[in-house]
Amino acid sequence: MSDYKIPPEELDRYLQEMGAVVGLSIAEEYMAGVKKYLQISLRMAEALQAAPLQMEDDFAPIFRA
């Protein structure tokens, strides 16, 4: 698994554009934390994509009350 990172200027542009799409503005004092956790989420997604599931794989059980 690679250390997935996107360039800071691309990350800034992504957050601005997606924020506009969903009507969300991020205060400047929170931007560094949002960027940090977005990078963590990207690495987690990369790890999940590296292990594709097949239809015959055993999925989690369903519990009903």
Side-chain angles (χ1 to χ4, degrees), residues 2-31:
S2 65
D3 187 21
Y4 188 79
K5 286 205 174 265
I6 56 178
E9 60 279 353
E10 190 175 330
L11 186 58
D12 288 337
R13 187 173 62 247
Y14 174 81
L15 288 173
Q16 289 172 353
E17 291 176 8
M18 290 310 296
V21 167
V22 298
L24 177 69
S25 62
I26 302 169
E28 193 60 40
E29 64 264 23
Y30 300 121
M31 189 61 74

Side-chain angles (χ1 to χ4, degrees), residues 34-47:
V34 171
K35 289 179 193 179
K36 175 183 176 182
Y37 286 101
L38 179 57
Q39 290 286 10
I40 291 169
S41 297
L42 290 169
R43 288 195 310 271
M44 290 173 20
E46 183 182 35

